[in-house]
Amino acid sequence: MDLITFSFLRFFCNMNHFQNSHFISAICFIDRIKIFMPGYRARYRIGQAAHIIARLFILIIILTAIPVCVCAEIQDRFFEDDSAEPWHIVADEMNYDHKTDQYVAKGNAVITKKGRKLTADFVRFNYNTMEVLAVGHVIMTAGEDVLIGERMEMDLEAEIGTIYNGTVFLKENHFYIKGNKIKKLGENSYFVDKASLTSCDGERPAWKVTGRNLKVTLEGYGFVNHAALWAGNVPVLYTPFLVFPAKRKRQSGLLPPQIGYSKRKWEEYNQPFYWAINESSDVTFYLYHMGRRGDKVAFEYRYVLDNNSKGTMMYDFLKDKKVDDGTQDFEETGTLQSIKEWGYRGDDFLRPNSDRYWFRWKHDQAMPFGFSAKLDIDIISDQDYLHEFKHGYTGFGETSDYYSDNFGRDIDEYDDSTRVNSLNINKSWSQYSLNAELRWYDNVINRRQGGVDTTLHKLPLVEFNASKQQIYKTPFYTDFDSEYLYSYNKDGNRFHCLDLYPRFYLPYNFRSYFSFEPSFGFRETVWYVDDFSDGTIETNKILNRQIYDIKLDLSTEIYKIYNINGKNINRIKHSIEPQIIYEYIREQDHEEYPDSIGKNNVVTYSITNTFTSRSKENPEQKNGVVDEENDEPVSYNYNQFCRFLIEQGYDIGEARDDNPEPFSPIYAELELSPAKYLSLQADAEWCQYEDSLLSRNVAVALSDYRGDRLFVEHRYALDSRESIYYNINLKMLDSLEVFGEYERNIYDGRDIRSVIGFLYESQCWSIRCFYEDEEESDRRYGFIVSLYGLGEIGTELSGRHVEGPH
């Protein structure tokens, strides 16, 4: 349509007295339409007069023809269910029937409103009932979900209808649900008589689940009867009933269970139930059935109070049918059960209790005036509990990873029988920090077994520190550390301690030749002793100690820059930094005070070599400060690819005492990353008096752009340990990875840990198989198939532990 005809029609559209009629309504759509006149083609060149006549002829046809053959956007009364957001219809050809109040759209028909869209070759829409019939290449989108079929009958307002020979695509789970007759039961529900379910793209999915009477509800679950799992065209698994998640948001319900069998526990079934309490809190309950040990109950409560305040509380309880009380156990099988079945190797203590529990809690709290608080609670019933429950939903591994990821704080290792419980309140300023803490060390063995408890608790510990800063406009600098501590021991030492430690610096730089920084520290410590178990220190008396220390730090830097002008690197800087440090602390009488600080009169000298490369961020830029061609500054990347340190100390005090070995071992450290995918770290100590290495540790990491990775570490300490560790990941194909780990104690001739396996990942599924053998633990065999969007199927089998689908 040209400009003259278009302007003429717009003139009629602006005439107010015509706007309420069907006649003018059709014309008013001209500003958003295209005219489709199949019989009208410009086959010959004609003059300007002929063009005008043709335009007038088209105008007469439009003004006299009802219904109108246009592609229109209906605004006045089409789907007036929401005045703020009208329905829209577009097609190559559209007709309107007054008697039935139906619109018929043919050719590339599109109906849209908000997040809903329907396209088809043919559409018949009933305005009164909001019902639509779509035929041919039907595609309907609702939010992010897509329905595709040959034919669709749908109530657009209620979103209820039927799709024939169709497919439903649920984007969040990447689900494809196919069926010859798909019924949409509402906004978020579907029913399929004969269904096929998969998350694989393409006409021939790698896996699919077929079944009858499938019903799926978004934000809920899908249910299907007589379900069969197919691998390609081969059926591999049948179940009379299958449930799968179709969730995009938090919603209460059952979670996948863990299933297994083990010698220590017999049959195992751990069923979690998730309860979404509200937007800011939820809880998961666990019922863990063990045929031989009883039923363990647990919960995990998570909550968020505001952007900076949150917490997670976990609790497990088991009334254990078995105890480790030093006696032999006559089992149900009629055999005499060995004690070691209920204890653990390396554990010299019994476990006579049957009431077993583990309570842990971490909480972060924002407080007024910029203060923050952190609470850490970790209480277990006995020293064997975390050995027994290392794996699983509520096991040590899952708990440790969760707290580390969400709170940035770990919990003590599973084999540590002294658990730390603390409440910390702190505040930081630009140059100062305040930290107050209550710290209780729970000695599990002592609590269970009794006896003298020598564990010292900090109730409280208060620290106030100031970072290094200039004293007004003088050349002097200072920092300050202070601490108040009350040490409490149930059966022994109890004392107050106040420690004040200011330090003063006078840094001096002699041009660019060297820098020299002398510093002086004065430390005042005051105690008030309530009780001291060994009687060596007088009680109910104030003790005080003054100590001063001196430190002299002399260093310089010598460097040279090499112009390489390579393809990636244009310069390399080699820097040599010699340093000499002298430290002095006078000798104290250790017996007079609750703690001691050793004397120190040592000179430490070292040399550090560093190599730093410079490369342009944009290799196309020329060297210099400004790229003259592009008139923009040249930017560079700097990479320290090599650092080598060597140092030794000389103890002046030992030399004055005629000690024949005043020199400390020579220590060396190397960090090297010469290429993007190669790095090496190594350190060693060599004793010149024994002419031997006291320790050496070497670690090498090698990788490539495909994702292959090799890590090797060797650790050695004279007369105590030597071990080697390997970790390898090989990308055999884009989708196939082989992995392995091996750690061996060479000193004792024992294998510590071995793992080997492979991982195959496809677009919609993966399979992971592995074997793991850990010293003084279980042998585990894993075979896990992950069907993306559906879950994991498989087991982890071990001598003591079995895990099922996660």
Side-chain angles (χ1 to χ4, degrees):
M1 181 181 298
D2 58 40
L3 182 61
I4 297 176
T5 308
F6 181 79
S7 301
F8 186 81
L9 294 174
R10 285 299 302 270
F11 170 77
F12 281 96
C13 290
N14 293 328
M15 297 174 63
N16 294 332
H17 62 282
F18 284 117
Q19 286 183 357
N20 293 327
S21 68
H22 284 293
F23 175 72
I24 289 299
S25 294
I27 299 177
C28 290
F29 302 144
I30 293 297
D31 61 338
R32 302 189 185 186
I33 67 171
K34 296 179 181 177
I35 301 299
F36 293 90
M37 302 293 293
Y40 176 74
R41 295 288 187 271
R43 294 187 175 90
Y44 307 99
R45 293 180 176 272
I46 57 177
Q48 183 175 7
H51 278 289
I52 296 174
I53 294 173
R55 288 196 294 268
L56 292 175
F57 176 75
I58 293 172
L59 180 60
I60 293 171
I61 293 295
I62 294 175
L63 294 176
T64 59
I66 297 292
V68 187
C69 299
V70 299
C71 167
E73 177 184 11
I74 310 300
Q75 294 196 59
D76 288 338
R77 58 189 299 268
F78 192 50
F79 299 175
E80 291 180 341
D81 59 308
D82 186 351
S83 58
E85 181 65 33
W87 288 84
H88 310 292
I89 182 169
V90 177
D92 293 347
E93 178 181 342
M94 194 178 77
N95 297 280
Y96 174 71
D97 189 335
H98 286 277
K99 294 181 180 180
T100 60
D101 203 13
Q102 288 186 348
Y103 294 83
V104 177
K106 299 179 181 180
N108 300 314
V110 181
I111 301 177
T112 59
K113 178 181 178 180
K114 291 185 179 178
R116 285 173 276 181
K117 180 180 179 181
L118 170 64
T119 64
D121 296 338
F122 172 88
V123 172
R124 178 185 291 123
F125 184 82
N126 188 310
Y127 170 73
N128 292 324
T129 62
M130 294 293 176
E131 293 178 349
V132 64
L133 168 66
V135 181
H137 303 94
V138 180
I139 302 176
M140 181 178 180
T141 59
E144 295 183 332
D145 302 325
V146 182
L147 290 81
I148 303 173
E150 296 180 359
R151 176 187 176 94
M152 185 183 73
E153 300 169 359
M154 187 72 64
D155 183 329
L156 288 182
E157 186 62 26
E159 294 192 21
I160 297 175
T162 304
I163 303 100
Y164 297 90
N165 294 326
T167 300
V168 178
F169 175 65
L170 308 179
K171 183 177 180 181
E172 186 71 18
N173 302 70
H174 205 85
F175 275 160
Y176 294 92
I177 302 174
K178 297 183 179 181
N180 59 343
K181 190 175 182 181
I182 302 175
K183 294 183 179 180
K184 197 170 190 302
L185 306 179
E187 182 180 358
N188 294 316
S189 297
Y190 302 90
F191 176 85
V192 188
D193 180 24
K194 297 179 181 179
S196 172
L197 169 69
T198 185
S199 61
C200 301
D201 298 333
E203 292 297 322
R204 296 182 178 180
W207 69 267
K208 64 181 178 180
V209 174
T210 60
R212 301 294 298 268
N213 301 328
L214 180 146
K215 184 176 181 180
V216 59
T217 302
L218 302 185
E219 308 306 338
Y221 293 90
F223 304 88
V224 60
N225 296 329
H226 302 291
L229 174 63
W230 296 69
N233 295 322
V234 180
V236 294
L237 184 65
Y238 168 82
T239 177
F241 186 72
L242 176 67
V243 180
F244 61 92
K247 296 175 179 291
R248 294 177 295 184
K249 300 178 181 177
R250 299 162 59 249
Q251 184 169 332
S252 302
L254 295 174
L255 299 178
Q258 290 179 333
I259 308 170
Y261 179 86
S262 67
K263 184 177 179 182
R264 289 178 68 96
K265 301 168 186 164
W266 284 0
E267 74 277 5
E268 301 175 50
Y269 184 87
N270 192 354
Q271 178 62 64
F273 175 81
Y274 176 76
W275 178 25
I277 302 173
N278 52 43
E279 291 295 327
S280 59
S281 64
D282 54 44
V283 63
T284 305
F285 298 97
Y286 300 90
L287 177 59
Y288 185 7
H289 170 74
M290 296 166 282
R292 205 175 197 182
R293 311 298 291 274
D295 296 325
K296 186 176 80 166
V297 293
F299 73 83
E300 179 180 341
Y301 175 61
R302 298 164 293 270
Y303 57 90
V304 176
L305 304 179
D306 55 47
N307 291 336
N308 299 307
S309 302
K310 62 180 181 179
T312 299
M313 179 189 301
M314 306 181 190
Y315 179 72
D316 309 347
F317 179 80
L318 169 66
K319 187 73 173 180
D320 203 335
K321 296 179 181 179
K322 305 299 178 184
V323 296
D324 177 22
D325 58 1
T327 63
Q328 291 181 319
D329 188 8
F330 192 74
E331 282 296 299
E332 296 89 341
T333 58
T335 61
L336 205 59
Q337 189 70 18
S338 173
I339 302 170
K340 68 180 181 180
E341 291 297 330
W342 314 124
Y344 285 87
R345 283 178 289 178
D347 180 6
D348 297 330
F349 299 94
L350 300 176
R351 181 192 54 83
N353 58 294
S354 60
D355 291 341
R356 310 187 70 186
Y357 54 84
W358 185 23
F359 178 70
R360 56 271 194 217
W361 183 17
K362 287 191 185 295
H363 176 82
D364 290 349
Q365 179 65 50
M367 302 179 68
F369 309 110
F371 284 85
S372 62
K374 293 178 172 59
L375 176 68
D376 296 308
I377 302 294
D378 186 359
I379 302 174
I380 56 176
S381 59
D382 54 81
Q383 73 279 3
D384 291 343
Y385 186 90
L386 297 182
H387 288 266
E388 192 87 60
F389 299 104
K390 267 201 297 188
H391 306 286
Y393 281 137
T394 59
F396 171 81
E398 291 280 349
T399 299
S400 180
D401 291 343
Y402 173 83
Y403 279 137
S404 179
D405 293 341
N406 292 275
F407 291 87
R409 306 193 297 278
D410 295 324
I411 57 176
D412 297 313
E413 287 297 323
Y414 72 93
D415 56 354
D416 192 341
S417 60
T418 301
R419 319 297 294 180
V420 177
N421 298 268
S422 65
L423 172 62
N424 179 278
I425 299 175
N426 63 82
K427 179 179 172 65
S428 296
W429 296 267
S430 59
Q431 294 181 313
Y432 304 94
S433 65
L434 174 64
N435 183 73
E437 186 174 59
L438 298 172
R439 179 169 291 202
W440 180 275
Y441 297 90
D442 181 27
N443 190 324
V444 180
I445 295 177
N446 185 271
R447 171 161 52 84
R448 276 290 180 187
Q449 309 293 333
V452 177
D453 186 0
T454 59
T455 307
L456 276 176
H457 312 284
K458 300 177 180 180
L459 305 171
L461 169 66
V462 181
E463 298 174 310
F464 179 77
N465 301 319
S467 60
K468 187 177 178 180
Q469 52 196 280
Q470 190 174 9
I471 303 176
Y472 299 106
K473 296 183 180 180
T474 68
F476 293 94
Y477 287 75
T478 183
D479 61 27
F480 178 72
D481 295 335
S482 63
E483 175 184 294
Y484 166 74
L485 168 67
Y486 180 67
S487 290
Y488 172 83
N489 181 280
K490 178 182 177 183
D491 300 317
N493 304 342
R494 303 175 194 174
F495 55 85
H496 302 263
C497 177
L498 177 64
D499 188 69
L500 306 175
Y501 187 19
R503 188 171 197 85
F504 302 92
Y505 304 82
L506 181 61
Y508 174 74
N509 293 313
F510 182 69
R511 298 181 182 176
S512 60
Y513 295 109
F514 66 86
S515 62
F516 177 63
E517 185 179 73
S519 62
F520 172 81
F522 179 80
R523 189 167 188 173
E524 174 77 21
T525 309
V526 180
W527 293 272
Y528 182 83
V529 181
D530 292 334
D531 188 16
F532 214 79
S533 57
D534 59 8
T536 57
I537 297 178
E538 188 175 352
T539 60
N540 297 320
K541 181 180 178 181
I542 294 178
L543 305 174
N544 69 300
R545 178 186 63 195
Q546 296 86 30
I547 298 179
Y548 68 89
D549 65 270
I550 298 173
K551 182 178 180 180
L552 307 176
D553 188 343
L554 175 65
S555 63
T556 187
E557 180 184 12
I558 306 169
Y559 68 89
K560 183 175 182 179
I561 297 176
Y562 300 90
N563 292 315
I564 304 300
N565 294 325
K567 181 178 180 181
N568 297 318
I569 299 175
N570 61 354
R571 289 185 181 182
I572 292 179
K573 176 183 177 181
H574 176 206
S575 173
I576 302 175
E577 301 177 29
Q579 185 177 35
I580 301 175
I581 298 176
Y582 171 71
E583 295 176 290
Y584 173 79
I585 301 176
R586 68 183 181 87
E587 186 175 7
Q588 303 292 315
D589 187 351
H590 298 165
E591 296 183 356
E592 294 184 4
Y593 308 108
D595 64 6
S596 61
I597 297 177
K599 68 175 183 178
N600 195 20
N601 192 4
V602 176
V603 175
T604 303
Y605 37 91
S606 65
I607 296 179
T608 303
N609 283 262
T610 59
F611 293 84
T612 304
S613 63
R614 190 184 80 169
S615 58
K616 289 175 289 186
E617 290 186 358
N618 183 4
E620 301 299 325
Q621 291 180 321
K622 295 182 179 181
N623 293 328
V625 178
V626 177
D627 188 344
E628 297 180 356
E629 293 184 2
N630 300 317
D631 193 24
E632 60 183 27
V634 179
S635 54
Y636 296 95
N637 291 322
Y638 296 88
N639 175 41
Q640 181 179 289
F641 64 89
C642 182
R643 176 180 175 272
F644 177 66
L645 164 71
I646 184 169
E647 72 174 17
Q648 187 182 35
Y650 178 77
D651 195 320
I652 299 174
E654 294 292 331
R656 290 178 176 176
D657 294 339
D658 297 327
N659 189 319
E661 300 180 358
F663 288 96
S664 68
I666 298 175
Y667 174 78
E669 184 177 282
L670 174 65
E671 297 176 2
L672 178 65
S673 53
K676 181 178 180 180
Y677 299 108
L678 175 64
S679 63
L680 180 145
Q681 289 184 327
D683 61 79
E685 280 188 312
W686 183 77
C687 180
Q688 64 273 24
Y689 301 110
E690 299 183 11
D691 194 20
S692 65
L693 283 171
L694 299 181
S695 68
R696 64 173 181 270
N697 304 296
V698 181
V700 179
L702 178 65
S703 61
D704 61 24
Y705 69 95
R706 298 192 321 162
D708 300 317
R709 192 175 75 92
L710 172 65
F711 178 79
V712 180
E713 182 179 33
H714 179 265
R715 305 183 70 85
Y716 167 81
L718 182 66
D719 297 331
S720 62
R721 64 173 172 82
E722 183 177 7
S723 65
I724 191 165
Y725 173 77
Y726 300 91
N727 185 311
I728 186 170
N729 293 73
L730 294 178
K731 280 282 203 180
M732 310 302 293
L733 302 169
D734 289 341
S735 55
L736 178 62
E737 176 181 320
V738 177
F739 59 87
E741 286 184 62
Y742 178 71
E743 185 174 6
R744 179 174 176 80
N745 187 329
I746 302 175
Y747 185 79
D748 294 332
R750 295 180 291 108
D751 290 337
I752 299 174
R753 188 167 186 263
S754 302
V755 178
I756 188 170
F758 72 87
L759 172 65
Y760 180 84
E761 291 183 295
S762 181
Q763 177 265 323
C764 57
W765 66 280
S766 68
I767 180 173
R768 182 172 181 262
C769 297
F770 68 91
Y771 164 78
E772 178 181 336
D773 186 3
E774 191 170 353
E775 182 187 25
E776 295 187 357
S777 187
D778 303 331
R779 292 184 178 181
R780 305 171 65 203
Y781 304 85
F783 178 84
I784 300 174
V785 177
S786 297
L787 306 179
Y788 298 158
L790 192 63
E792 293 183 349
I793 301 175
T795 58
E796 292 183 11
L797 305 175
S798 65
R800 293 182 175 178
H801 185 74
V802 181
E803 289 185 3
H806 295 277

